[in-house]
Amino acid sequence: MTPDLIVLADTVHTMDGQHHGQPVQAVAVSGGLIAAVGSRQEARDWQQTDTRVLDLGNATLTPGLVDCHIHPVFGLDLTIGADLAAATSLDEVLTLLGTEAAHDGGWLRGWGLNPNAFGTVPLHRSVLDGVSGDQPAFIRLFDGHSALANSRALELAGIHGRFEFDQASEVVCDADGVPTGLLLEAAAMELVQRHIPQESFAQRKTRLAGLLGDFARSGLTGGHIMDHSKESTALFQALEADGELPLRLRAAPWCMPGSGEAEWKEMARSIGTGGRRWSIEAIKLFVDGTVDNGTAWLYEPDVHGQSTAPFWPRPEEYSAAIRYFASRGIPTATHAIGDAGVDHVLEALESLRTDVPADVLRRTVHRIEHIETVPDDLVARFKGAGVVASMQPTHCTHYSLADHSDNWSTRLGAQRAERAWRCRDLRDAGVALGIGSDWPIAPYEPLPIIADAQLRRRSGHPEQEPIAPSQALTARQALEGYTSHAAKAAGQWDVSGSITVGKRADFTAFELDPLATGPDEFAASRVLGTFVDGEIQFMLERHA
Ligand SMILES: [Zn+2]
């Protein structure tokens, strides 16, 4: 062994579930892979003349953090204009929009709008008209599945009434059939979106480069991207022409309702393509929308009589798509938020056993994203179906409240709101659980997410009451969600997710030990640096 690099740290959590005798405090890297794991004393024997030794002192080293659900490219569209995520009242929303300059072609833009900020005021274009004047305005809601357009924007888009779509999407209209400005799901939003002048490729490339750099500095060495388009390919290729991406990206293009075998074949062909640090490795599907705007798929309607329908008008076509990909050994990830939606995905995956060969099923990971409210019997079916769960603890802690007074809980009613984000029950049932942010739906910084998964409230807010506190993860389970279980959720446990000889040398270094620090303190602490393929992506000064 001729290591290129030896990293020393007082605490190393290998996350490989193995007992190493002495505490591990040294890791050797050769050719981008982990070449040895051991004590500081053993490391002295590994060292060769050319070996670089980096002593991180009292820091903690773990496998690199991977966000299991993130939208860096799609998110470029979702994060234009005023950032409304922090607004908690309608006044704050209007103030932020009032100070926002018009964007491309004179459009007023905003994103991250939490419907709770509107209180009892209906989401209606008239609210925007007051602040936008004659300008067209297009404001995205926080869930990424809905937007509010003003009257001028609807006029420019020629929207004067209801529309028919081949997916569950809606131009919301009042009792007289007049559009309110609320647009639910992609097809409805696209009616307006296509009239907004697009940023140039160069602008988007610059923004994406900045974003990926921010991801790396937050401690991420990887991300499971839950979208992919031709433009994504062009952007990643352009970035890799300039140098290495600062983190490893696994992308999943969308398979949408209305598509058939011709499109699926094309998507299947893209699997495995990519560049040095990015590749297309899975297919993303949606079986429903969101609870927050009444497009989830629930057994029983919400208090407004909504959230009753699947995203695929004929859900058997969704099942056929799953079968098409699964039988070819292609991993899938399905967005399923409501109980009926999760049930349908589980059923589709369970039914594969009748005719998809067992070895193909065993080596192909299928996962369900979000899983916001499910009864006991659905939790119990995950393990048997061999399904991986992928969840976002901060969707719970940022957008719902323990007293059920928020939009999500109110819509569901107390019983279903009590079943909020059952992370712990899924872990206790033996299910692999990957954790992520779903940025830009919620902030991407992993430390507060790891903390919130343990606290079931926002870190740094001890005054808040925890939400369904029995669903709290242990510190180790939360860290596993970003490391070992993230690797399992990508079908990459054989090459990543733990500090084990032969695996990729992707690490994150922390100021404080994630397994031995109170979650509030940990959330506010610093990431010292990251490594991808044994190469430093960034390192704070004190360890330079
Ligand atoms: Zn998402």
Side-chain angles (χ1 to χ4, degrees), residues 298-303 339 372-377 401-404 408-422 425 467-468 471:
L298 297 168
Y299 292 132
E300 301 294 333
D302 70 11
V303 293
D339 42 25
E372 293 188 359
T373 172
V374 284
D376 292 348
D377 61 309
L401 293 165
D403 67 5
H404 300 333
W408 185 91
S409 307
T410 309
R411 278 177 173 269
L412 289 174
Q415 192 191 30
R416 288 180 295 191
E418 295 290 338
R419 299 171 183 155
W421 290 272
R422 298 178 66 177
D425 286 341
I467 300 149
Q471 298 306 323

Side-chain angles (χ1 to χ4, degrees), residues 69 71 284 370 438:
H69 190 126
H71 296 283
K284 170 79 187 293
H370 308 309
D438 201 8

Side-chain angles (χ1 to χ4, degrees), residues 184-202:
L184 304 182
E185 301 300 332
M189 290 189 283
E190 181 55 24
L191 292 176
V192 172
Q193 184 106 354
R194 63 177 172 232
H195 294 275
I196 304 175
Q198 295 298 299
E199 288 179 305
S200 71
F201 183 80

Side-chain angles (χ1 to χ4, degrees), residues 69-71 74 145 226 284 286 335 369-370 395 438-439 441:
H69 190 126
I70 201 159
H71 296 283
F74 180 49
H145 289 252
M226 289 292 152
K284 170 79 187 293
F286 296 80
H335 166 123
E369 309 296 312
H370 308 309
H395 286 198
D438 201 8
W439 185 88
I441 312 306

Side-chain angles (χ1 to χ4, degrees), residues 90 94 113 118 121-130 148-151 154 172-174 178-182:
L90 185 50
L94 296 178
L113 175 63
F118 271 60
V121 179
L123 284 163
H124 193 274
R125 62 190 149 76
S126 57
V127 178
L128 290 183
D129 291 345
L148 187 62
N150 73 350
S151 302
L154 294 180
V172 178
C173 292
D174 62 20
V178 180
T180 64
L182 189 58

